[in-house]
Amino acid sequence: MQKIKNYVEANKQRFLDELFELLRFPSVSADPKYKDDVVKTANYVAEKLKEAGADKVEVCPTAGYPIVYGEKIFDANLPTVLVYGHYDVQPADPIELWETPPFEPTIRDGKIYARGSADDKGQFYMHVKAFEYMMQNDELACNIKFMIEGEEEVGSANLGIFVAANKERLKADVIVISDTSMISLEQPSLETGLRGLSYVEVEVTGPNRDLHSGVYGGAVGNPATILAKLIASLHDENNHIAIPGFYDDVLELSAEERKELNEAPFDIEEYKTDLGVSELWGEKGYTTIERTGIRPTLEVNGIWGGYIGEGAKTVLPSKAFAKISMRLVPNQNSERITTLFKNHFEKIAPKNVKVEVKPHHGGEPVVTPTDSVAYKAAEKALEETFNKKPIPTRGGGSIPIVALFEKELGIKTVLLGFGLDSDNLHSPNEKYGIENYLKGIETIPLFHKYYAELSK
Ligand code: BES
Ligand code: MN
Ligand code: MN
């Protein structure tokens, strides 16, 4: 323990410099404009894996962005840990709201501000540096495999294909992912579940062209108004989702499980202040922790149509659009939910418009075990670095590949995340605490050590 602490202390500046270099690549997978940068990022990751001591490092091509693979297999009798992460990031927009440029990492108040700092470059890179430490000090306790992809933020469409085609190469005893949050540096925690996702785009079409809103307004259904009404009807007065059958498969938690979940420290006033809202919102009968962890939700991610430029243009738009996502919980199925949404939305649309519902990527919800050797090893490692036993929580986000790993490879995951919910993931001014980064690097070798010990 002291040895890794000393190593981190001695190499701190270099660890930060290398991460900064990684953060300077604008590896936005959603925007084709950044294609070259995304590929360059994959090459940089591969180079760093090699430098840290990985064998068989390969930038594996896919139909989309490449997957970086590397491994160190030194004793077939020891367990193998597969590290998954993603080197792609979300778009930085709205760019004008960043205090410092998204791809010029800057330290303020002990935090690294940059797009991807917490999600997920700063987090997966901890594993590369922890691996470097274990290699340098002959402390590798498990075999290790790295799989770092570049399409997580756009739905990992090609990763499933890669996994199915590389089952032998990816064989492992556990998957470790640092791409989630913990409660705080004072109260470590381990996420034990991720929500699934159904994502659709809706298009509402009224008249065959944009119309003068004075000449035709009042006589022709306005797609924007109609879309607003349709969307508003998707929640009832208790903020339950009003799509018939939506909750049919939802697994309810026992009173005991709910009680435990709600024992996690949570300061509602602080939460509101951080977000700048004076009141919270959500499904009646559930706490905020439950609303974001164990309950399904429906959110509008974007809505547009008509004239949105400078000044005023009097127009009755021909079309209106929205992007809508639904977060799913165990036992819901993303395809089934997407179909329910589509059927319902088409059914409630009035006859004066046409609606089209286009499904995007989806993903299945998961719960990860808390009675496994891997969970216990993670618990023990965190307790040692944070001097406090971590508590299990349910995460609100989605990492669709986790369910797929389980299905394709039969391997369970440990979500060893060091970020904070307040790190501004997907928002302007994304940040990652230097302490979170360094503590993560300290904790990971302990995880390997305890995982090997407890597996015996
Ligand atoms: N790292 C996040 C997921 C996450 C964040 C899980 C915080 C738990 C806590 C991941 O990169 C992500 O953003 N996933 C997307 C889904 C994907 C299909 C676009 C998400 O959750 O919206
Ligand atoms: Mn992520
Ligand atoms: Mn993300």
Side-chain angles (χ1 to χ4, degrees):
M1 172 75 175
Q2 198 49 48
K3 201 165 152 197
I4 172 76
K5 265 196 194 307
N6 292 344
Y7 190 84
V8 169
E9 190 49 42
N11 292 282
K12 189 172 149 181
Q13 193 53 49
R14 180 173 56 85
F15 287 176
L16 284 170
D17 291 344
E18 291 176 17
L19 175 59
F20 273 37
E21 202 169 330
L22 179 59
L23 291 168
R24 281 191 197 101
F25 291 99
S27 52
V28 180
S29 51
D31 187 344
K33 188 170 98 193
Y34 296 103
K35 193 164 184 257
D36 290 351
D37 299 295
V38 183
V39 174
K40 278 186 202 154
T41 316
N43 294 332
Y44 179 78
V45 173
E47 192 186 304
K48 288 296 165 192
L49 273 176
K50 257 185 235 161
E51 274 174 30
D55 299 327
K56 299 190 182 166
V57 174
E58 193 185 328
V59 178
C60 311
T62 72
Y65 287 120
I67 292 162
V68 184
Y69 180 84
E71 62 176 42
K72 189 78 203 176
I73 310 291
F74 67 104
D75 183 345
N77 295 315
L78 288 172
T80 301
V81 173
L82 175 65
V83 177
Y84 163 86
H86 62 95
Y87 64 81
D88 66 320
V89 301
Q90 284 277 322
D93 332 64
I95 195 109
E96 65 280 7
L97 296 183
W98 285 77
E99 278 178 41
T100 47
F103 299 106
E104 288 173 28
T106 311
I107 294 174
R108 283 198 299 280
D109 283 341
K111 298 185 178 68
I112 306 157
Y113 283 83
R115 171 57 88 226
S117 55
D119 185 10
D120 177 41
K121 288 171 171 172
Q123 293 219 58
F124 85 73
Y125 204 66
M126 300 179 311
H127 288 268
V128 182
K129 293 299 99 179
F131 171 61
E132 172 198 301
Y133 164 78
M134 293 188 282
M135 288 294 292
Q136 296 284 321
N137 294 278
D138 244 341
E139 281 192 21
L140 212 56
C142 300
N143 298 308
I144 185 164
K145 294 179 175 177
F146 287 92
M147 178 178 35
I148 314 295
E149 73 149 318
E151 297 186 307
E152 197 275 343
E153 298 292 8
V154 288
S156 306
N158 297 296
L159 185 63
I161 300 165
F162 180 81
V163 169
N166 288 273
K167 285 189 178 172
E168 201 46 46
R169 166 146 71 160
L170 300 175
K171 231 170 144 179
D173 297 282
V174 66
I175 295 167
V176 180
I177 304 178
S178 295
D179 191 25
T180 51
S181 312
M182 57 196 271
I183 293 175
S184 67
L185 287 166
E186 290 71 44
Q187 177 57 68
S189 59
L190 283 157
E191 288 194 10
T192 59
L194 292 164
R195 290 195 287 186
L197 188 70
S198 282
Y199 201 112
V200 297
E201 191 165 326
V202 302
E203 181 179 323
V204 177
T205 308
N208 60 8
R209 59 190 187 277
D210 284 4
L211 303 174
H212 189 293
S213 66
V215 177
Y216 290 100
V220 178
N222 183 319
T225 312
I226 290 161
L227 176 59
K229 279 199 177 182
L230 290 174
I231 287 173
S233 78
L234 295 174
H235 288 98
D236 70 11
E237 67 282 7
N238 293 320
N239 298 326
H240 293 301
I241 295 158
I243 299 174
F246 188 87
Y247 293 97
D248 281 2
D249 298 329
V250 170
L251 215 63
E252 299 283 344
L253 269 68
S254 67
E256 184 53 38
E257 287 172 303
R258 286 180 67 179
K259 187 171 158 276
E260 209 181 287
L261 203 67
N262 284 298
E263 276 163 8
F266 177 70
D267 186 332
I268 206 155
E269 291 309 317
E270 205 178 291
Y271 189 81
K272 288 196 284 190
T273 308
D274 176 49
L275 300 177
V277 296
S278 46
E279 223 178 85
L280 296 179
W281 179 95
E283 190 184 3
K284 196 172 169 189
Y286 295 92
T287 64
T288 300
I289 288 181
E290 292 171 336
R291 287 167 179 172
T292 56
I294 56 161
R295 296 299 292 168
T297 56
L298 181 150
E299 294 297 330
V300 177
N301 297 264
I303 180 165
W304 70 101
Y307 183 70
I308 51 169
E310 282 288 318
K313 178 188 178 196
T314 48
V315 63
L316 191 165
S318 162
K319 285 177 186 290
F321 307 83
K323 290 182 194 275
I324 298 173
S325 67
M326 289 156 279
R327 297 281 167 174
L328 313 178
V329 299
N331 242 344
Q332 288 179 299
N333 169 275
S334 69
E335 271 178 42
R336 184 154 185 267
I337 292 295
T338 301
T339 307
L340 280 182
F341 179 94
K342 187 173 157 68
N343 293 345
H344 176 69
F345 207 78
E346 286 168 359
K347 195 172 144 209
I348 60 173
K351 289 214 169 54
N352 52 15
V353 291
K354 286 192 287 291
V355 303
E356 200 185 332
V357 177
K358 294 176 229 170
H360 280 270
H361 55 244
E364 306 313 323
V366 278
V367 274
T368 60
T370 51
D371 58 357
S372 65
V373 167
Y375 185 85
K376 295 209 170 92
E379 206 172 45
K380 224 172 143 180
L382 283 167
E383 184 167 3
E384 200 165 320
T385 27
F386 290 87
N387 295 316
K388 196 158 188 191
K389 194 174 168 174
I391 56 176
T393 61
R394 289 289 201 95
S398 308
I399 308 177
I401 202 64
V402 176
L404 214 133
F405 281 146
E406 204 174 318
K407 198 168 135 228
E408 287 284 342
L409 303 172
I411 313 174
K412 302 257 190 219
T413 295
V414 174
L415 298 165
L416 187 57
F418 293 89
L420 302 177
D421 278 343
S422 55
D423 278 339
N424 293 331
L425 313 182
H426 299 199
S427 302
N429 305 307
E430 179 176 348
K431 59 180 186 279
Y432 191 41
I434 295 177
E435 198 176 337
N436 300 60
Y437 179 57
L438 300 177
K439 276 255 165 77
I441 300 173
E442 257 178 52
T443 307
I444 291 162
L446 291 170
F447 168 77
H448 284 255
K449 178 177 147 208
Y450 292 131
Y451 185 61
E453 273 178 29
L454 296 171
S455 296
K456 272 183 198 149

